[in-house]
Amino acid sequence: MLAYIIRRLLLIIPTLLGIMIINFAIVQTAPGGPVEQIIAQIQGNAVDATARVTGGGGEAIQGGLDNQQQIGQSGGFESKYRGARGLPPELIAEIEKMVGFDKPLHVQFINMIGNYATFNFGDSFFQDRKVVDLVIDKLPVSISLGIWTTLLTYLISIPLGIRKAVRDGSRFDVWTSGVIIFGNAVPSFLFAVLLIVLFAGGSFVDWFPLRGLVSDNWSELSLIGKVADYFWHLVLPLTALLIGAFASLTMLTKNSFLDQINQQYVVTARAKGLDEKRVLYGHVFRNAMLIVIAGFPAAFISILFTSSLLIEVIFSLDGLGLLGFEATINRDFPVMFGTLFFLSLLGLLMGLIGDLAYVVVDPRIDFESREV
């Protein structure tokens, strides 16, 4: 197993490189890059644009603006950037240098990968902060939503799915299927709005807070008070995320168990006189859970960074999902590629953890004898 783990860890390197190459090429061909974003800010509000651009470029931009006032809008300079008409070429060149666009594409990519190898993700173009600091600031929110939602989803869905499979067609199976249909039909963000209306001071009761991961006076609370306050803020966001996640996983578990229950080895085990619990948990569980475990890494990554985006917005939770979305809209390339690198690395590691979980559930699986 150790050799397999080492091979998988080494395989992460070329996989990450391939992911970054593909996304770098796609992003470079997309219109409205960071240079256009800075130009748009200058054209719209020069003072704010100067204040937000990092790396000491504000003075250069302001100087270029002064030059622009002198040459007017009728200058003959034609720029390759949309919206740059009338701006002096010196200013465009300074902006390109500031964001690293003065170098050829292959040099930009090599420099980026070299920095990422030492976990140097650079500075945000528009927030005047290091990408690592931004990610660390957002991690508590995303980790809280991802871990607790995934944990609760599996703790609820697996026992419920097994019970539905065992009691297939019963009254219990029917009414729980109604709840699952509701969970699949109602989007998480819409259910979040409903929860706010019902329980967060909308039109009924005001039991839960509307924003943040903790209260403003969290640092003044006792240890028990801090834990209680933390989970008090998580109740509504987690409930909104759980409604869709548990529904799909419950049906996956049920269908997986039903498929295994009808296999010949189950009939043989029962014919030998084994009691139902031993058949179910000693034989069926091990085989049925493989497909459920296979979806764990994807489920965790999806909840952590995709499904939680609208939930973060609705409950004013400033997490990685919102950070990545805003970086994409603003074409903040260091934040975009930094979060992509982090998400990809985490996803690949979660895939390895999923494989190790296979062995825990079914020790008969031997990855050592197989090629990666």
Side-chain angles (χ1 to χ4, degrees):
M1 179 57 69
L2 179 60
Y4 173 77
I5 294 174
I6 293 174
R7 290 200 304 269
R8 284 293 300 270
L9 290 175
L10 292 175
L11 187 61
I12 287 177
I13 298 174
T15 305
L16 265 179
L17 184 61
I19 292 172
M20 298 304 294
I21 290 175
I22 293 172
N23 283 275
F24 184 84
I26 293 174
V27 169
Q28 291 295 332
T29 59
V35 175
E36 285 92 338
Q37 292 292 323
I38 296 174
I39 290 172
Q41 290 182 10
I42 293 173
Q43 300 283 28
N45 191 328
V47 176
D48 289 345
T50 302
R52 291 181 65 187
V53 176
T54 65
E59 295 178 359
I61 290 179
Q62 188 60 56
L65 290 172
D66 294 338
N67 292 334
Q68 180 189 2
Q69 297 296 328
Q70 297 174 10
I71 66 174
Q73 296 291 334
S74 58
F77 173 64
E78 289 291 338
S79 174
K80 61 183 177 180
Y81 300 110
R82 196 181 310 175
R85 183 176 179 83
L87 292 178
E90 296 81 6
L91 175 59
I92 302 299
E94 185 64 30
I95 295 174
E96 288 183 328
K97 182 178 180 181
M98 188 171 22
V99 299
F101 276 33
D102 59 327
K103 301 179 179 66
L105 288 180
H106 69 279
V107 176
Q108 294 179 38
F109 181 78
I110 292 173
N111 290 341
M112 182 183 72
I113 294 300
N115 290 329
Y116 284 9
T118 59
F119 293 93
N120 175 19
F121 299 105
D123 299 328
S124 168
F125 288 155
F126 303 103
Q127 299 193 47
D128 199 17
R129 296 186 63 192
K130 291 184 178 296
V131 174
V132 171
D133 293 338
L134 285 171
V135 171
I136 291 175
D137 283 351
K138 315 301 182 185
L139 268 179
V141 171
S142 295
I143 292 295
S144 294
L145 291 176
I147 287 181
W148 290 117
T149 303
T150 306
L151 179 63
L152 290 173
T153 298
Y154 273 75
L155 288 177
I156 294 172
S157 300
I158 292 176
L160 180 59
I162 294 173
R163 187 165 181 82
K164 283 176 64 63
V166 173
R167 303 183 62 179
D168 183 41
S170 67
R171 184 176 299 178
F172 172 82
D173 182 42
V174 172
W175 74 260
T176 52
S177 294
V179 176
I180 290 172
I181 291 173
F182 174 80
N184 279 323
V186 179
S188 296
F189 71 90
L190 188 60
F191 191 66
V193 175
L194 177 62
L195 292 175
I196 290 175
V197 172
L198 294 177
F199 303 111
S203 301
F204 294 89
V205 297
D206 188 8
W207 290 349
F208 299 99
L210 265 177
R211 61 178 60 249
L213 197 60
V214 293
S215 300
D216 294 335
N217 65 334
W218 188 78
S219 60
E220 302 172 3
L221 300 175
S222 63
L223 179 59
I224 296 178
K226 288 180 179 179
V227 173
D229 181 78
Y230 167 74
F231 283 107
W232 180 49
H233 281 75
L234 281 176
V235 168
L236 296 187
L238 287 183
T239 304
L241 286 170
L242 276 171
I243 190 66
F246 106 92
S248 57
L249 185 59
T250 299
M251 291 308 300
L252 176 64
T253 304
K254 176 190 174 182
N255 293 334
S256 179
F257 267 77
L258 282 177
D259 177 67
Q260 292 298 318
I261 286 174
N262 295 323
Q263 296 294 324
Q264 184 61 42
Y265 74 89
V266 177
V267 176
T268 303
R270 286 171 175 165
K272 290 182 177 179
L274 296 179
D275 62 88
E276 193 64 22
K277 286 187 176 181
R278 187 171 179 184
V279 171
L280 185 62
Y281 294 103
H283 294 76
V284 176
F285 181 84
R286 185 165 55 186
N287 295 320
M289 285 304 296
L290 291 178
I291 190 173
V292 177
I293 290 176
F296 174 79
F300 179 76
I301 296 298
S302 175
I303 292 171
L304 190 57
F305 301 107
T306 307
S307 302
S308 62
L309 173 58
L310 290 176
I311 301 301
E312 289 178 11
V313 174
I314 292 171
F315 291 101
S316 300
L317 299 171
D318 194 8
L320 280 177
L322 187 58
L323 175 67
F325 175 75
E326 291 177 344
T328 303
I329 295 298
N330 295 326
R331 299 298 193 271
D332 196 343
F333 282 6
V335 177
M336 285 176 59
F337 288 117
T339 53
L340 172 66
F341 182 88
F342 176 77
L343 294 180
S344 302
L345 179 60
L346 182 60
L348 292 170
L349 291 175
M350 290 301 299
L352 175 58
I353 293 174
D355 286 349
L356 298 180
Y358 280 147
V359 179
V360 174
V361 174
D362 190 350
R364 296 173 300 175
I365 296 177
D366 182 16
F367 288 111
E368 286 286 352
S369 59
R370 300 174 58 186
E371 295 294 333
V372 177

